[in-house]
Amino acid sequence: MKLGLRNYGRIAEAAITRRVPVYAHYGITHRCDLTCKMCGIWRYGNKKEELSVEEIQQVAARMRRLGVVQVSIGGGEPFAYEELELAAKAFVDEGLNLRLLTNAVNVPRERFDRVVDYGVRNFSISLDSLYPARFDYICEQEGSWESAVRNMVYLAQRLRGSGGLLVMNCVVSNLNLEELPDMVRFAKEIGFAVSFLPIELLRTSGEGVRNWEARFIRHRPEMGLQSGPQEDVVGRIDRTYDTLVHMKAEGWPILNSTPYLQASRAYLKDGRFPAEGCDAGALYFSISPNGQFTICHRTSHSYKHFLDPDFEDFFRSKEYEYKRLMEAGACEGCMRACWIDTSSMFRTLQGFFETARLNLQAPKANPVQEREALTWARYDDIDIVPHAHAQ
Ligand SMILES: C[S@@+](CC[C@H](N)C(=O)[O-])C[C@H]1O[C@@H](n2cnc3c(N)ncnc32)[C@H](O)[C@@H]1O
Ligand code: SF4
Ligand code: SF4
């Protein structure tokens, strides 16, 4: 990952002050071409609320002025935004290090080519299983696995030697827990690193909307670990996470820090969030499709709009600092790797060196070709939802 002198300066300043927003997430749209079972964002898709390319150029310029180094554009599905290519270019042109988070399933190659031509080098692509039938069941679209994998291999070949970091985003659930070590092996073969995110679900179908984020997740008991055989649920989680921590120490391309993996293990067992404080609104922030600023993905919206002419003064004001401390302090916590690992990177030496090592480490020099990647698909007869009989 090439950062440039300006960005190294910002990272050093953030390490000292913990008050430079080095990371920003921009959900460019809530629209999506898939209807994944655990996700509810696609239900809120509304083209009318989205910013124009000109407004997005202003967002990018403002982010640069605030000190942002790394921006992730997600959604919804970012490629559902028709002019994503020009939007991406706006961030690259401002010298920001851009990552696109995509399902890659229905994205034509020419669109990937265009964003790469505009300078995007970092992509995170979701893949939750090596069983096509299981992944297609999660995404609710037949052929999703094969299509995503073909595009992953295409990008790995296209970006070989470019310094980009390709990441496979994998949501850990009752469906795939035992698959995770093989997902790491597969990712390495195709030139990717892996990021594991424990599944977050509504506990009951009638659970009220506690906050903005709760609108985006769903009640899918069969995907929760607590739906497996309870006498062994702790053993299942421990066996997998022991292996992942071990693989991480051996140098396998697992993007999460070791403290994050341990926190995920605890969360999956009993729903407990990490106890450490949170730097939301200081080291990172989030922008919604309509340009609303929030301190992270899951907050109230009582801040100025990001394109408000006074926003930069507001962001540096005591009023803002007080508001964001109150909000983060009152929060029950979360398991979002991007926030937690950004904090961990600046709070602990282990976090810092683990992140630096993975970002500097060259990906597999010769990622496998498409034909070989597709041989990893598993077609043996399995229960798509393992342990379903125990419910
Ligand atoms: C919301 S999507 C947006 C980007 C893109 N559409 C994609 O799927 O990669 C970002 C990530 O959130 C994950 N996700 C969705 N619902 C989740 C849930 N209930 N718990 C944890 N992660 C979830 C997705 O699998 C994906 O990796
Ligand atoms: S996880 Fe991503 S691809 Fe799936 S429905 Fe949600 S936004 Fe769409
Ligand atoms: S812990 Fe709370 S405030 Fe901090 S990033 Fe997570 S949801 Fe936001």
Side-chain angles (χ1 to χ4, degrees), residues 30 38-44 75 200 202 209 211-218 288-289 297 336:
H30 287 146
M38 66 289 186
C39 175
I41 298 184
W42 50 272
R43 298 175 300 184
Y44 298 93
E200 216 183 331
L202 292 180
V209 176
N211 50 48
W212 178 242
E213 173 72 353
R215 297 172 64 191
F216 293 159
I217 60 177
R218 294 165 78 192
S288 304
H297 61 290
R336 289 295 164 124

mmCIF file with all atom_site columns, all heavy atoms in Angstrom, residues 30 38-44 75 200 202 209 211-218 288-289 297 336:
data_model
loop_
_atom_site.group_PDB
_atom_site.id
_atom_site.type_symbol
_atom_site.label_atom_id
_atom_site.label_alt_id
_atom_site.label_comp_id
_atom_site.label_asym_id
_atom_site.label_entity_id
_atom_site.label_seq_id
_atom_site.pdbx_PDB_ins_code
_atom_site.Cartn_x
_atom_site.Cartn_y
_atom_site.Cartn_z
_atom_site.occupancy
_atom_site.B_iso_or_equiv
_atom_site.pdbx_formal_charge
_atom_site.auth_seq_id
_atom_site.auth_comp_id
_atom_site.auth_asym_id
_atom_site.auth_atom_id
_atom_site.pdbx_PDB_model_num
ATOM 1   N N   . HIS A 1 30  ? -27.670 2.928   -0.279 1.00 0.00 ? 30  HIS A N   1
ATOM 2   C CA  . HIS A 1 30  ? -28.255 1.786   0.437  1.00 0.00 ? 30  HIS A CA  1
ATOM 3   C C   . HIS A 1 30  ? -28.802 0.758   -0.544 1.00 0.00 ? 30  HIS A C   1
ATOM 4   O O   . HIS A 1 30  ? -29.247 -0.318  -0.144 1.00 0.00 ? 30  HIS A O   1
ATOM 5   C CB  . HIS A 1 30  ? -29.389 2.261   1.361  1.00 0.00 ? 30  HIS A CB  1
ATOM 6   C CG  . HIS A 1 30  ? -28.907 3.000   2.567  1.00 0.00 ? 30  HIS A CG  1
ATOM 7   N ND1 . HIS A 1 30  ? -29.601 4.039   3.132  1.00 0.00 ? 30  HIS A ND1 1
ATOM 8   C CD2 . HIS A 1 30  ? -27.791 2.861   3.320  1.00 0.00 ? 30  HIS A CD2 1
ATOM 9   C CE1 . HIS A 1 30  ? -28.946 4.503   4.179  1.00 0.00 ? 30  HIS A CE1 1
ATOM 10  N NE2 . HIS A 1 30  ? -27.834 3.807   4.304  1.00 0.00 ? 30  HIS A NE2 1
ATOM 11  N N   . MET A 1 38  ? -28.671 -12.013 6.347  1.00 0.00 ? 38  MET A N   1
ATOM 12  C CA  . MET A 1 38  ? -28.414 -11.370 7.651  1.00 0.00 ? 38  MET A CA  1
ATOM 13  C C   . MET A 1 38  ? -28.448 -9.844  7.550  1.00 0.00 ? 38  MET A C   1
ATOM 14  O O   . MET A 1 38  ? -28.305 -9.155  8.547  1.00 0.00 ? 38  MET A O   1
ATOM 15  C CB  . MET A 1 38  ? -27.039 -11.828 8.187  1.00 0.00 ? 38  MET A CB  1
ATOM 16  C CG  . MET A 1 38  ? -25.844 -11.372 7.389  1.00 0.00 ? 38  MET A CG  1
ATOM 17  S SD  . MET A 1 38  ? -25.743 -12.233 5.796  1.00 0.00 ? 38  MET A SD  1
ATOM 18  C CE  . MET A 1 38  ? -24.197 -11.649 5.151  1.00 0.00 ? 38  MET A CE  1
ATOM 19  N N   . CYS A 1 39  ? -28.595 -9.318  6.330  1.00 0.00 ? 39  CYS A N   1
ATOM 20  C CA  . CYS A 1 39  ? -28.430 -7.881  6.095  1.00 0.00 ? 39  CYS A CA  1
ATOM 21  C C   . CYS A 1 39  ? -29.771 -7.261  5.730  1.00 0.00 ? 39  CYS A C   1
ATOM 22  O O   . CYS A 1 39  ? -30.568 -7.863  5.017  1.00 0.00 ? 39  CYS A O   1
ATOM 23  C CB  . CYS A 1 39  ? -27.432 -7.697  4.951  1.00 0.00 ? 39  CYS A CB  1
ATOM 24  S SG  . CYS A 1 39  ? -27.222 -5.994  4.419  1.00 0.00 ? 39  CYS A SG  1
ATOM 25  N N   . GLY A 1 40  ? -30.019 -6.046  6.196  1.00 0.00 ? 40  GLY A N   1
ATOM 26  C CA  . GLY A 1 40  ? -31.290 -5.398  5.876  1.00 0.00 ? 40  GLY A CA  1
ATOM 27  C C   . GLY A 1 40  ? -31.116 -4.076  5.148  1.00 0.00 ? 40  GLY A C   1
ATOM 28  O O   . GLY A 1 40  ? -32.090 -3.381  4.876  1.00 0.00 ? 40  GLY A O   1
ATOM 29  N N   . ILE A 1 41  ? -29.862 -3.742  4.820  1.00 0.00 ? 41  ILE A N   1
ATOM 30  C CA  . ILE A 1 41  ? -29.594 -2.429  4.217  1.00 0.00 ? 41  ILE A CA  1
ATOM 31  C C   . ILE A 1 41  ? -30.374 -2.252  2.921  1.00 0.00 ? 41  ILE A C   1
ATOM 32  O O   . ILE A 1 41  ? -30.931 -1.188  2.654  1.00 0.00 ? 41  ILE A O   1
ATOM 33  C CB  . ILE A 1 41  ? -28.074 -2.272  3.929  1.00 0.00 ? 41  ILE A CB  1
ATOM 34  C CG1 . ILE A 1 41  ? -27.286 -2.338  5.234  1.00 0.00 ? 41  ILE A CG1 1
ATOM 35  C CG2 . ILE A 1 41  ? -27.797 -0.969  3.205  1.00 0.00 ? 41  ILE A CG2 1
ATOM 36  C CD1 . ILE A 1 41  ? -25.810 -2.090  5.076  1.00 0.00 ? 41  ILE A CD1 1
ATOM 37  N N   . TRP A 1 42  ? -30.409 -3.317  2.117  1.00 0.00 ? 42  TRP A N   1
ATOM 38  C CA  . TRP A 1 42  ? -31.042 -3.226  0.784  1.00 0.00 ? 42  TRP A CA  1
ATOM 39  C C   . TRP A 1 42  ? -32.489 -2.770  0.863  1.00 0.00 ? 42  TRP A C   1
ATOM 40  O O   . TRP A 1 42  ? -33.032 -2.244  -0.083 1.00 0.00 ? 42  TRP A O   1
ATOM 41  C CB  . TRP A 1 42  ? -30.918 -4.577  0.065  1.00 0.00 ? 42  TRP A CB  1
ATOM 42  C CG  . TRP A 1 42  ? -31.353 -5.747  0.894  1.00 0.00 ? 42  TRP A CG  1
ATOM 43  C CD1 . TRP A 1 42  ? -30.576 -6.473  1.759  1.00 0.00 ? 42  TRP A CD1 1
ATOM 44  C CD2 . TRP A 1 42  ? -32.679 -6.312  0.985  1.00 0.00 ? 42  TRP A CD2 1
ATOM 45  N NE1 . TRP A 1 42  ? -31.318 -7.452  2.364  1.00 0.00 ? 42  TRP A NE1 1
ATOM 46  C CE2 . TRP A 1 42  ? -32.611 -7.385  1.901  1.00 0.00 ? 42  TRP A CE2 1
ATOM 47  C CE3 . TRP A 1 42  ? -33.891 -6.031  0.368  1.00 0.00 ? 42  TRP A CE3 1
ATOM 48  C CZ2 . TRP A 1 42  ? -33.720 -8.160  2.231  1.00 0.00 ? 42  TRP A CZ2 1
ATOM 49  C CZ3 . TRP A 1 42  ? -34.997 -6.804  0.688  1.00 0.00 ? 42  TRP A CZ3 1
ATOM 50  C CH2 . TRP A 1 42  ? -34.906 -7.854  1.615  1.00 0.00 ? 42  TRP A CH2 1
ATOM 51  N N   . ARG A 1 43  ? -33.137 -2.937  2.043  1.00 0.00 ? 43  ARG A N   1
ATOM 52  C CA  . ARG A 1 43  ? -34.544 -2.530  2.161  1.00 0.00 ? 43  ARG A CA  1
ATOM 53  C C   . ARG A 1 43  ? -34.703 -1.002  2.171  1.00 0.00 ? 43  ARG A C   1
ATOM 54  O O   . ARG A 1 43  ? -35.788 -0.489  1.999  1.00 0.00 ? 43  ARG A O   1
ATOM 55  C CB  . ARG A 1 43  ? -35.152 -3.090  3.450  1.00 0.00 ? 43  ARG A CB  1
ATOM 56  C CG  . ARG A 1 43  ? -35.151 -4.611  3.492  1.00 0.00 ? 43  ARG A CG  1
ATOM 57  C CD  . ARG A 1 43  ? -35.641 -5.121  4.819  1.00 0.00 ? 43  ARG A CD  1
ATOM 58  N NE  . ARG A 1 43  ? -34.793 -4.660  5.922  1.00 0.00 ? 43  ARG A NE  1
ATOM 59  C CZ  . ARG A 1 43  ? -34.935 -5.012  7.189  1.00 0.00 ? 43  ARG A CZ  1
ATOM 60  N NH1 . ARG A 1 43  ? -35.907 -5.822  7.535  1.00 0.00 ? 43  ARG A NH1 1
ATOM 61  N NH2 . ARG A 1 43  ? -34.123 -4.567  8.115  1.00 0.00 ? 43  ARG A NH2 1
ATOM 62  N N   . TYR A 1 44  ? -33.585 -0.299  2.395  1.00 0.00 ? 44  TYR A N   1
ATOM 63  C CA  . TYR A 1 44  ? -33.643 1.163   2.507  1.00 0.00 ? 44  TYR A CA  1
ATOM 64  C C   . TYR A 1 44  ? -33.087 1.874   1.274  1.00 0.00 ? 44  TYR A C   1
ATOM 65  O O   . TYR A 1 44  ? -32.843 3.070   1.313  1.00 0.00 ? 44  TYR A O   1
ATOM 66  C CB  . TYR A 1 44  ? -32.899 1.625   3.770  1.00 0.00 ? 44  TYR A CB  1
ATOM 67  C CG  . TYR A 1 44  ? -33.555 1.063   5.016  1.00 0.00 ? 44  TYR A CG  1
ATOM 68  C CD1 . TYR A 1 44  ? -33.113 -0.126  5.570  1.00 0.00 ? 44  TYR A CD1 1
ATOM 69  C CD2 . TYR A 1 44  ? -34.659 1.692   5.575  1.00 0.00 ? 44  TYR A CD2 1
ATOM 70  C CE1 . TYR A 1 44  ? -33.734 -0.672  6.680  1.00 0.00 ? 44  TYR A CE1 1
ATOM 71  C CE2 . TYR A 1 44  ? -35.297 1.154   6.684  1.00 0.00 ? 44  TYR A CE2 1
ATOM 72  C CZ  . TYR A 1 44  ? -34.825 -0.028  7.235  1.00 0.00 ? 44  TYR A CZ  1
ATOM 73  O OH  . TYR A 1 44  ? -35.458 -0.568  8.323  1.00 0.00 ? 44  TYR A OH  1
ATOM 74  N N   . GLY A 1 75  ? -21.716 0.241   1.247  1.00 0.00 ? 75  GLY A N   1
ATOM 75  C CA  . GLY A 1 75  ? -23.124 0.538   1.034  1.00 0.00 ? 75  GLY A CA  1
ATOM 76  C C   . GLY A 1 75  ? -23.972 -0.324  1.950  1.00 0.00 ? 75  GLY A C   1
ATOM 77  O O   . GLY A 1 75  ? -23.529 -0.662  3.049  1.00 0.00 ? 75  GLY A O   1
ATOM 78  N N   . GLU A 1 200 ? -23.758 -10.242 13.376 1.00 0.00 ? 200 GLU A N   1
ATOM 79  C CA  . GLU A 1 200 ? -24.582 -9.511  14.331 1.00 0.00 ? 200 GLU A CA  1
ATOM 80  C C   . GLU A 1 200 ? -26.030 -9.716  13.904 1.00 0.00 ? 200 GLU A C   1
ATOM 81  O O   . GLU A 1 200 ? -26.355 -9.525  12.725 1.00 0.00 ? 200 GLU A O   1
ATOM 82  C CB  . GLU A 1 200 ? -24.223 -8.028  14.250 1.00 0.00 ? 200 GLU A CB  1
ATOM 83  C CG  . GLU A 1 200 ? -24.267 -7.323  15.569 1.00 0.00 ? 200 GLU A CG  1
ATOM 84  C CD  . GLU A 1 200 ? -23.964 -5.834  15.410 1.00 0.00 ? 200 GLU A CD  1
ATOM 85  O OE1 . GLU A 1 200 ? -23.228 -5.460  14.486 1.00 0.00 ? 200 GLU A OE1 1
ATOM 86  O OE2 . GLU A 1 200 ? -24.485 -5.079  16.203 1.00 0.00 ? 200 GLU A OE2 1
ATOM 87  N N   . LEU A 1 202 ? -30.420 -9.485  15.074 1.00 0.00 ? 202 LEU A N   1
ATOM 88  C CA  . LEU A 1 202 ? -31.436 -9.072  16.039 1.00 0.00 ? 202 LEU A CA  1
ATOM 89  C C   . LEU A 1 202 ? -31.823 -10.312 16.837 1.00 0.00 ? 202 LEU A C   1
ATOM 90  O O   . LEU A 1 202 ? -31.965 -11.401 16.274 1.00 0.00 ? 202 LEU A O   1
ATOM 91  C CB  . LEU A 1 202 ? -32.648 -8.496  15.313 1.00 0.00 ? 202 LEU A CB  1
ATOM 92  C CG  . LEU A 1 202 ? -32.425 -7.169  14.582 1.00 0.00 ? 202 LEU A CG  1
ATOM 93  C CD1 . LEU A 1 202 ? -33.707 -6.711  13.896 1.00 0.00 ? 202 LEU A CD1 1
ATOM 94  C CD2 . LEU A 1 202 ? -31.927 -6.089  15.529 1.00 0.00 ? 202 LEU A CD2 1
ATOM 95  N N   . VAL A 1 209 ? -36.215 -1.055  16.974 1.00 0.00 ? 209 VAL A N   1
ATOM 96  C CA  . VAL A 1 209 ? -35.046 -0.435  16.362 1.00 0.00 ? 209 VAL A CA  1
ATOM 97  C C   . VAL A 1 209 ? -34.328 0.362   17.442 1.00 0.00 ? 209 VAL A C   1
ATOM 98  O O   . VAL A 1 209 ? -34.716 1.464   17.789 1.00 0.00 ? 209 VAL A O   1
ATOM 99  C CB  . VAL A 1 209 ? -35.474 0.475   15.194 1.00 0.00 ? 209 VAL A CB  1
ATOM 100 C CG1 . VAL A 1 209 ? -34.280 1.201   14.622 1.00 0.00 ? 209 VAL A CG1 1
ATOM 101 C CG2 . VAL A 1 209 ? -36.156 -0.357  14.129 1.00 0.00 ? 209 VAL A CG2 1
ATOM 102 N N   . ASN A 1 211 ? -31.298 1.466   17.405 1.00 0.00 ? 211 ASN A N   1
ATOM 103 C CA  . ASN A 1 211 ? -30.475 2.520   16.840 1.00 0.00 ? 211 ASN A CA  1
ATOM 104 C C   . ASN A 1 211 ? -30.458 2.329   15.330 1.00 0.00 ? 211 ASN A C   1
ATOM 105 O O   . ASN A 1 211 ? -31.035 1.382   14.807 1.00 0.00 ? 211 ASN A O   1
ATOM 106 C CB  . ASN A 1 211 ? -29.059 2.466   17.411 1.00 0.00 ? 211 ASN A CB  1
ATOM 107 C CG  . ASN A 1 211 ? -28.512 1.062   17.297 1.00 0.00 ? 211 ASN A CG  1
ATOM 108 O OD1 . ASN A 1 211 ? -28.613 0.455   16.240 1.00 0.00 ? 211 ASN A OD1 1
ATOM 109 N ND2 . ASN A 1 211 ? -27.963 0.527   18.365 1.00 0.00 ? 211 ASN A ND2 1
ATOM 110 N N   . TRP A 1 212 ? -29.776 3.212   14.672 1.00 0.00 ? 212 TRP A N   1
ATOM 111 C CA  . TRP A 1 212 ? -29.733 3.197   13.212 1.00 0.00 ? 212 TRP A CA  1
ATOM 112 C C   . TRP A 1 212 ? -29.253 1.857   12.678 1.00 0.00 ? 212 TRP A C   1
ATOM 113 O O   . TRP A 1 212 ? -29.845 1.267   11.779 1.00 0.00 ? 212 TRP A O   1
ATOM 114 C CB  . TRP A 1 212 ? -28.808 4.341   12.777 1.00 0.00 ? 212 TRP A CB  1
ATOM 115 C CG  . TRP A 1 212 ? -28.594 4.473   11.306 1.00 0.00 ? 212 TRP A CG  1
ATOM 116 C CD1 . TRP A 1 212 ? -27.413 4.347   10.648 1.00 0.00 ? 212 TRP A CD1 1
ATOM 117 C CD2 . TRP A 1 212 ? -29.568 4.790   10.310 1.00 0.00 ? 212 TRP A CD2 1
ATOM 118 N NE1 . TRP A 1 212 ? -27.602 4.556   9.304  1.00 0.00 ? 212 TRP A NE1 1
ATOM 119 C CE2 . TRP A 1 212 ? -28.914 4.833   9.073  1.00 0.00 ? 212 TRP A CE2 1
ATOM 120 C CE3 . TRP A 1 212 ? -30.946 5.024   10.353 1.00 0.00 ? 212 TRP A CE3 1
ATOM 121 C CZ2 . TRP A 1 212 ? -29.573 5.116   7.889  1.00 0.00 ? 212 TRP A CZ2 1
ATOM 122 C CZ3 . TRP A 1 212 ? -31.605 5.298   9.161  1.00 0.00 ? 212 TRP A CZ3 1
ATOM 123 C CH2 . TRP A 1 212 ? -30.915 5.347   7.951  1.00 0.00 ? 212 TRP A CH2 1
ATOM 124 N N   . GLU A 1 213 ? -28.196 1.327   13.283 1.00 0.00 ? 213 GLU A N   1
ATOM 125 C CA  . GLU A 1 213 ? -27.611 0.086   12.794 1.00 0.00 ? 213 GLU A CA  1
ATOM 126 C C   . GLU A 1 213 ? -28.606 -1.070  12.861 1.00 0.00 ? 213 GLU A C   1
ATOM 127 O O   . GLU A 1 213 ? -28.609 -1.942  11.999 1.00 0.00 ? 213 GLU A O   1
ATOM 128 C CB  . GLU A 1 213 ? -26.348 -0.242  13.619 1.00 0.00 ? 213 GLU A CB  1
ATOM 129 C CG  . GLU A 1 213 ? -25.714 -1.601  13.335 1.00 0.00 ? 213 GLU A CG  1
ATOM 130 C CD  . GLU A 1 213 ? -25.002 -1.681  12.001 1.00 0.00 ? 213 GLU A CD  1
ATOM 131 O OE1 . GLU A 1 213 ? -25.103 -0.709  11.204 1.00 0.00 ? 213 GLU A OE1 1
ATOM 132 O OE2 . GLU A 1 213 ? -24.369 -2.695  11.737 1.00 0.00 ? 213 GLU A OE2 1
ATOM 133 N N   . ALA A 1 214 ? -29.458 -1.059  13.904 1.00 0.00 ? 214 ALA A N   1
ATOM 134 C CA  . ALA A 1 214 ? -30.391 -2.176  14.064 1.00 0.00 ? 214 ALA A CA  1
ATOM 135 C C   . ALA A 1 214 ? -31.351 -2.292  12.892 1.00 0.00 ? 214 ALA A C   1
ATOM 136 O O   . ALA A 1 214 ? -31.936 -3.337  12.657 1.00 0.00 ? 214 ALA A O   1
ATOM 137 C CB  . ALA A 1 214 ? -31.149 -2.033  15.373 1.00 0.00 ? 214 ALA A CB  1
ATOM 138 N N   . ARG A 1 215 ? -31.513 -1.219  12.143 1.00 0.00 ? 215 ARG A N   1
ATOM 139 C CA  . ARG A 1 215 ? -32.360 -1.318  10.948 1.00 0.00 ? 215 ARG A CA  1
ATOM 140 C C   . ARG A 1 215 ? -31.672 -2.157  9.876  1.00 0.00 ? 215 ARG A C   1
ATOM 141 O O   . ARG A 1 215 ? -32.302 -2.648  8.957  1.00 0.00 ? 215 ARG A O   1
ATOM 142 C CB  . ARG A 1 215 ? -32.624 0.083   10.370 1.00 0.00 ? 215 ARG A CB  1
ATOM 143 C CG  . ARG A 1 215 ? -33.391 0.990   11.299 1.00 0.00 ? 215 ARG A CG  1
ATOM 144 C CD  . ARG A 1 215 ? -33.444 2.392   10.745 1.00 0.00 ? 215 ARG A CD  1
ATOM 145 N NE  . ARG A 1 215 ? -34.179 2.449   9.490  1.00 0.00 ? 215 ARG A NE  1
ATOM 146 C CZ  . ARG A 1 215 ? -34.197 3.511   8.682  1.00 0.00 ? 215 ARG A CZ  1
ATOM 147 N NH1 . ARG A 1 215 ? -33.531 4.598   9.016  1.00 0.00 ? 215 ARG A NH1 1
ATOM 148 N NH2 . ARG A 1 215 ? -34.867 3.497   7.561  1.00 0.00 ? 215 ARG A NH2 1
ATOM 149 N N   . PHE A 1 216 ? -30.349 -2.270  9.984  1.00 0.00 ? 216 PHE A N   1
ATOM 150 C CA  . PHE A 1 216 ? -29.587 -2.896  8.909  1.00 0.00 ? 216 PHE A CA  1
ATOM 151 C C   . PHE A 1 216 ? -29.294 -4.371  9.136  1.00 0.00 ? 216 PHE A C   1
ATOM 152 O O   . PHE A 1 216 ? -28.682 -5.021  8.301  1.00 0.00 ? 216 PHE A O   1
ATOM 153 C CB  . PHE A 1 216 ? -28.256 -2.156  8.712  1.00 0.00 ? 216 PHE A CB  1
ATOM 154 C CG  . PHE A 1 216 ? -28.435 -0.750  8.178  1.00 0.00 ? 216 PHE A CG  1
ATOM 155 C CD1 . PHE A 1 216 ? -27.435 0.183   8.352  1.00 0.00 ? 216 PHE A CD1 1
ATOM 156 C CD2 . PHE A 1 216 ? -29.582 -0.386  7.495  1.00 0.00 ? 216 PHE A CD2 1
ATOM 157 C CE1 . PHE A 1 216 ? -27.582 1.476   7.856  1.00 0.00 ? 216 PHE A CE1 1
ATOM 158 C CE2 . PHE A 1 216 ? -29.741 0.903   7.001  1.00 0.00 ? 216 PHE A CE2 1
ATOM 159 C CZ  . PHE A 1 216 ? -28.736 1.830   7.183  1.00 0.00 ? 216 PHE A CZ  1
ATOM 160 N N   . ILE A 1 217 ? -29.631 -4.881  10.316 1.00 0.00 ? 217 ILE A N   1
ATOM 161 C CA  . ILE A 1 217 ? -29.398 -6.304  10.551 1.00 0.00 ? 217 ILE A CA  1
ATOM 162 C C   . ILE A 1 217 ? -30.749 -6.979  10.778 1.00 0.00 ? 217 ILE A C   1
ATOM 163 O O   . ILE A 1 217 ? -31.753 -6.316  10.984 1.00 0.00 ? 217 ILE A O   1
ATOM 164 C CB  . ILE A 1 217 ? -28.423 -6.554  11.732 1.00 0.00 ? 217 ILE A CB  1
ATOM 165 C CG1 . ILE A 1 217 ? -28.987 -5.963  13.023 1.00 0.00 ? 217 ILE A CG1 1
ATOM 166 C CG2 . ILE A 1 217 ? -27.059 -5.979  11.416 1.00 0.00 ? 217 ILE A CG2 1
ATOM 167 C CD1 . ILE A 1 217 ? -28.118 -6.245  14.228 1.00 0.00 ? 217 ILE A CD1 1
ATOM 168 N N   . ARG A 1 218 ? -30.751 -8.301  10.737 1.00 0.00 ? 218 ARG A N   1
ATOM 169 C CA  . ARG A 1 218 ? -32.034 -8.992  10.762 1.00 0.00 ? 218 ARG A CA  1
ATOM 170 C C   . ARG A 1 218 ? -32.052 -10.119 11.785 1.00 0.00 ? 218 ARG A C   1
ATOM 171 O O   . ARG A 1 218 ? -31.032 -10.495 12.339 1.00 0.00 ? 218 ARG A O   1
ATOM 172 C CB  . ARG A 1 218 ? -32.318 -9.546  9.350  1.00 0.00 ? 218 ARG A CB  1
ATOM 173 C CG  . ARG A 1 218 ? -32.525 -8.417  8.364  1.00 0.00 ? 218 ARG A CG  1
ATOM 174 C CD  . ARG A 1 218 ? -32.444 -8.917  6.946  1.00 0.00 ? 218 ARG A CD  1
ATOM 175 N NE  . ARG A 1 218 ? -33.655 -9.582  6.535  1.00 0.00 ? 218 ARG A NE  1
ATOM 176 C CZ  . ARG A 1 218 ? -33.750 -10.296 5.427  1.00 0.00 ? 218 ARG A CZ  1
ATOM 177 N NH1 . ARG A 1 218 ? -32.708 -10.452 4.639  1.00 0.00 ? 218 ARG A NH1 1
ATOM 178 N NH2 . ARG A 1 218 ? -34.882 -10.869 5.107  1.00 0.00 ? 218 ARG A NH2 1
ATOM 179 N N   . SER A 1 288 ? -23.295 8.873   5.511  1.00 0.00 ? 288 SER A N   1
ATOM 180 C CA  . SER A 1 288 ? -24.411 8.120   4.924  1.00 0.00 ? 288 SER A CA  1
ATOM 181 C C   . SER A 1 288 ? -24.618 8.522   3.462  1.00 0.00 ? 288 SER A C   1
ATOM 182 O O   . SER A 1 288 ? -24.098 9.558   3.037  1.00 0.00 ? 288 SER A O   1
ATOM 183 C CB  . SER A 1 288 ? -25.693 8.413   5.697  1.00 0.00 ? 288 SER A CB  1
ATOM 184 O OG  . SER A 1 288 ? -25.490 8.126   7.043  1.00 0.00 ? 288 SER A OG  1
ATOM 185 N N   . PRO A 1 289 ? -25.431 7.769   2.717  1.00 0.00 ? 289 PRO A N   1
ATOM 186 C CA  . PRO A 1 289 ? -25.647 8.107   1.302  1.00 0.00 ? 289 PRO A CA  1
ATOM 187 C C   . PRO A 1 289 ? -26.101 9.543   1.074  1.00 0.00 ? 289 PRO A C   1
ATOM 188 O O   . PRO A 1 289 ? -25.739 10.163  0.075  1.00 0.00 ? 289 PRO A O   1
ATOM 189 C CB  . PRO A 1 289 ? -26.745 7.119   0.874  1.00 0.00 ? 289 PRO A CB  1
ATOM 190 C CG  . PRO A 1 289 ? -26.565 5.940   1.764  1.00 0.00 ? 289 PRO A CG  1
ATOM 191 C CD  . PRO A 1 289 ? -26.101 6.492   3.083  1.00 0.00 ? 289 PRO A CD  1
ATOM 192 N N   . HIS A 1 297 ? -20.784 3.903   12.228 1.00 0.00 ? 297 HIS A N   1
ATOM 193 C CA  . HIS A 1 297 ? -21.922 3.348   11.492 1.00 0.00 ? 297 HIS A CA  1
ATOM 194 C C   . HIS A 1 297 ? -23.201 3.331   12.317 1.00 0.00 ? 297 HIS A C   1
ATOM 195 O O   . HIS A 1 297 ? -24.281 3.167   11.785 1.00 0.00 ? 297 HIS A O   1
ATOM 196 C CB  . HIS A 1 297 ? -21.587 1.925   11.069 1.00 0.00 ? 297 HIS A CB  1
ATOM 197 C CG  . HIS A 1 297 ? -21.325 1.033   12.246 1.00 0.00 ? 297 HIS A CG  1
ATOM 198 N ND1 . HIS A 1 297 ? -20.211 1.167   13.027 1.00 0.00 ? 297 HIS A ND1 1
ATOM 199 C CD2 . HIS A 1 297 ? -22.060 0.050   12.797 1.00 0.00 ? 297 HIS A CD2 1
ATOM 200 C CE1 . HIS A 1 297 ? -20.257 0.269   14.001 1.00 0.00 ? 297 HIS A CE1 1
ATOM 201 N NE2 . HIS A 1 297 ? -21.363 -0.419  13.888 1.00 0.00 ? 297 HIS A NE2 1
ATOM 202 N N   . ARG A 1 336 ? -17.287 -4.096  14.949 1.00 0.00 ? 336 ARG A N   1
ATOM 203 C CA  . ARG A 1 336 ? -16.810 -3.703  13.629 1.00 0.00 ? 336 ARG A CA  1
ATOM 204 C C   . ARG A 1 336 ? -15.288 -3.651  13.590 1.00 0.00 ? 336 ARG A C   1
ATOM 205 O O   . ARG A 1 336 ? -14.663 -2.861  14.290 1.00 0.00 ? 336 ARG A O   1
ATOM 206 C CB  . ARG A 1 336 ? -17.388 -2.352  13.232 1.00 0.00 ? 336 ARG A CB  1
ATOM 207 C CG  . ARG A 1 336 ? -18.859 -2.419  12.932 1.00 0.00 ? 336 ARG A CG  1
ATOM 208 C CD  . ARG A 1 336 ? -19.092 -3.293  11.704 1.00 0.00 ? 336 ARG A CD  1
ATOM 209 N NE  . ARG A 1 336 ? -20.480 -3.678  11.594 1.00 0.00 ? 336 ARG A NE  1
ATOM 210 C CZ  . ARG A 1 336 ? -21.237 -3.439  10.533 1.00 0.00 ? 336 ARG A CZ  1
ATOM 211 N NH1 . ARG A 1 336 ? -20.742 -2.808  9.494  1.00 0.00 ? 336 ARG A NH1 1
ATOM 212 N NH2 . ARG A 1 336 ? -22.469 -3.865  10.495 1.00 0.00 ? 336 ARG A NH2 1
#
